[in-house]
Amino acid sequence: MADESKFVEDLAEKDDFAQWYLDVVYKAGLADESPVRGCMTIKPYGYALWEHMQRAMDDRIKATGHENAYFPLFIPSSFLAREAEHIEGFAPEVAVVTHAGGEELTEPLIVRPTSETVIGHMYAKWVQSYRDLPLLYNQWCNVVRWEKRTRPFLRTTEFLWQEGHTVHRTEDEAEAETLLILNDVYYDFFVKELAIPGIRGLKSESQKFPGALRTYTVEAMMGDGKALQSATSHNLGQNFARSFDIQFQDADGQVKTAWTTSWGASTRMVGGLIMVHGDSAGLRMPPRVAPIQAIVVPIWRKEAEREAVAALVAEVEAALKAVGVRVKADWREERPGFKYNDWELRGVPIRIEIGPRDAQNGQVVLVPRTSRTAKETVSKDGVARRVPEMLQEVHQALYDQALAFRQSRTYQVQSYEEFQEILADKARLGFIEGWWCGDAQCEAEVKAETQATIRCLPLERPDGSGPCIHCGKTGSAWAVFAKAY
Ligand SMILES: [Zn+2]
C-alpha cells in the first residue's frame, strides 16, 4: 500500500549533543531557519507546543492576580540610557531604527530587548496614589536581542516571551511578588506542565539582571549535563522607579518612590524541554503541553480490512476527544513502521495501534513513548479511561528520569582539581554544589579557568559555612556551578 523505501531520516547520535539538538528541532518539524541570521521560523507543530505552554503559564499568571496588557515594540533610544546598569547590559545587543518613512528619525528608536523602560514611563503616569497600587501587569510579545551566536529556541535574535512588570508600595511587597512568581508560576509550571525538575535560587551579583536588586532563577539540567536558565524573576528595588519617576502619595501624605519587579520566560523553554526529555529516537513531549497526545496508527492490508479498522479508529477518536485527549489518526499512505518512527521523532506521548484483529476483538494496543517496548492491549471500552491515566504515567516517567539524571550528575567535590576534572569530562559533566566565598573576583576566576558559572545560590541549601570551592576562604554562600547555555 505504501512506498516501501521511505524511512524516517536518522538523527545524529545523542553523543554529538549539539547536532542531535538541531536535528530534533528541524526534523521533528518544530522550526526552520530564517533569511535573517539568528532569527527562526516557528512551524505549526512547534507553535502549537508554544501555545499550550503559553496557555498553562498564562493561567498561572492570571490566577496569581495579574492582567495582560500590551506595550509598544519601539522605545525612544534615550529611555535605555536612564538606568545606568541597564544600558550597560543591553546596549551591545540592541537593534536601532534610524530611518523610517523615507526619512532619518530625529531620535532613533530601539526595538525592545525587554520593556522595563517603556513600561516604567507609562507606570509613572498611571501611579499617583497608594490606592493605585499594586499594579500587576504582564505582556506576551516578541523581543529582539542581537546575539552573536544563535541556536534555534535557545538563543535567537528575535524570540517570544512573557514579561511581567509590577509596582508596589513597599520593599516587602515587591520581594513577596518576586518569590510568588518564582514559586507559584515558574517552578510550578516546570514541574507540572513540562515535567522538568528545576532548581530555584538567587543569582550572584555578576549574573543578575542589569539594574535589578536581586534576580531569582529556575535552572534546569539538560541532557548533556549543562544548565539552562529557564525563567527569571527580578526584584528591581527602586532603581527603575527612580529613573522613571514612579512615585506615589502614601497614606501618610508623603510622596514616595515605588518598588518594582519584572519577570520573564521565553521560547527558550522549548529548547529546554527538548534537551531535558529527548532521546536517541527524537523528542519526548511532556503530555500536558503536547500538541498531539495520542496518535492512532491504523494498520490494514486489504480494502475489506480497512473498513472495519476505520470504524474502530473513529470510535476511539470520538471516545478520547470526549474526555479531552488531543488525538489524531494518521491515515497517510505509508508503512506502519515509518509512522511509528515518525511520531516517535515528534515525541507524541502515546501511540495507539489498531489492526484488523484488534477491530475484530474490539481492542487497541497502547504504546507509551517513554517505554516503547511496553505494549498494552486495552478493550475499546477501556480506552477513554486508560489513555488519560497513561498520559499521567508518561509525565511522571519523564519527570522521574530527568530528576534521576540530574541527581546522578550532581557532585559535591573534595578539591578544586576534582571540580576541574568533572567539568572537563563530557561523560560526567553536570552540576557541582559547594561553598563559595562570595567574592566576584573568585567567581570570575572559576569562569576563566573552567567556563563554569554560578548558576544560582539555591533556596534549598545546607546551613552554616565552609571553605570556598575555589579559593578556600570560608564562605557562607552555597552555590551551584555548571557550564551553561
Ligand atoms: Zn572563593
Side-chain angles (χ1 to χ4, degrees), residues 466-479:
C468 172
I469 221 164
H470 178 247
C471 69
K473 279 183 221 150
T474 301
S476 59
W478 182 257

Side-chain angles (χ1 to χ4, degrees), residues 58-315:
D58 198 58
D59 285 347
R60 284 170 173 78
I61 290 171
K62 286 174 180 154
T64 46
H66 305 82
E67 293 176 281
N68 285 338
Y70 187 80
F71 296 88
L73 169 70
F74 299 116
I75 301 176
S77 58
S78 60
F79 277 29
L80 200 63
R82 286 207 218 164
E83 215 291 329
E85 283 184 38
H86 193 64
I87 186 162
E88 201 183 312
F90 282 104
E93 51 191 42
V94 158
V96 185
V97 181
T98 56
H99 290 74
E103 288 173 18
E104 190 171 343
L105 298 176
T106 47
E107 178 176 5
L109 301 173
I110 61 169
V111 181
R112 64 180 164 218
T114 178
S115 302
E116 278 75 8
T117 59
V118 67
I119 292 179
H121 173 81
M122 298 313 297
Y123 282 1
K125 206 169 143 184
W126 297 343
V127 174
Q128 301 295 330
S129 154
Y130 71 95
R131 293 186 192 88
D132 300 328
L133 299 176
L135 228 94
L136 306 171
Y137 299 158
N138 173 68
Q139 80 166 337
W140 289 95
C141 66
N142 59 343
V143 288
V144 168
R145 297 179 186 175
W146 223 259
E147 302 279 2
K148 290 202 174 69
R149 295 184 60 195
T150 59
R151 214 182 299 211
F153 292 113
L154 290 175
R155 195 172 288 280
T156 47
T157 298
E158 179 192 13
F159 59 88
L160 307 182
W161 77 344
Q162 61 68 218
E163 50 177 324
H165 296 268
T166 67
V167 189
H168 305 268
R169 196 174 168 185
T170 66
E171 180 173 14
D172 284 353
E173 278 181 31
E175 182 69 3
E177 164 77 9
T178 314
L179 287 167
L180 175 76
I181 296 300
L182 179 79
N183 296 319
D184 293 18
V185 177
Y186 294 151
Y187 181 78
D188 192 69
F189 172 82
F190 283 112
V191 172
K192 292 186 186 154
E193 308 292 341
L194 303 190
I196 292 179
I199 294 180
R200 286 168 282 188
L202 194 61
K203 282 287 182 189
S204 66
E205 282 296 302
S206 75
Q207 298 277 328
K208 72 179 186 186
F209 179 75
L213 193 63
R214 277 188 284 280
T215 290
Y216 293 95
T217 178
V218 180
E219 300 283 324
M221 185 186 284
M222 303 295 107
D224 59 354
K226 285 192 194 168
L228 184 75
Q229 174 181 302
S230 305
T232 46
S233 181
H234 319 290
N235 182 338
L236 301 175
Q238 291 179 307
N239 295 341
F240 284 87
R242 264 192 227 107
S243 305
F244 288 89
D245 299 319
I246 309 174
Q247 296 183 322
F248 64 98
Q249 188 168 44
D250 211 344
D252 59 10
Q254 293 198 23
V255 175
K256 294 176 184 172
T257 301
W259 299 80
T260 66
T261 81
S262 70
W263 26 278
S266 72
T267 34
R268 213 173 192 220
M269 295 185 292
V270 174
L273 83 80
I274 296 168
M275 292 198 295
V276 169
H277 298 309
D279 67 8
S280 57
L283 198 57
R284 297 193 301 173
M285 287 275 191
R288 299 207 182 116
V289 293
I292 301 168
Q293 295 173 311
I295 185 73
V296 182
V297 179
I299 303 155
W300 76 98
R301 281 184 181 280
K302 300 175 215 129
E303 207 47 35
E305 290 172 345
R306 183 183 161 120
E307 215 168 287
V309 167
L312 182 54
V313 167
E315 207 178 319

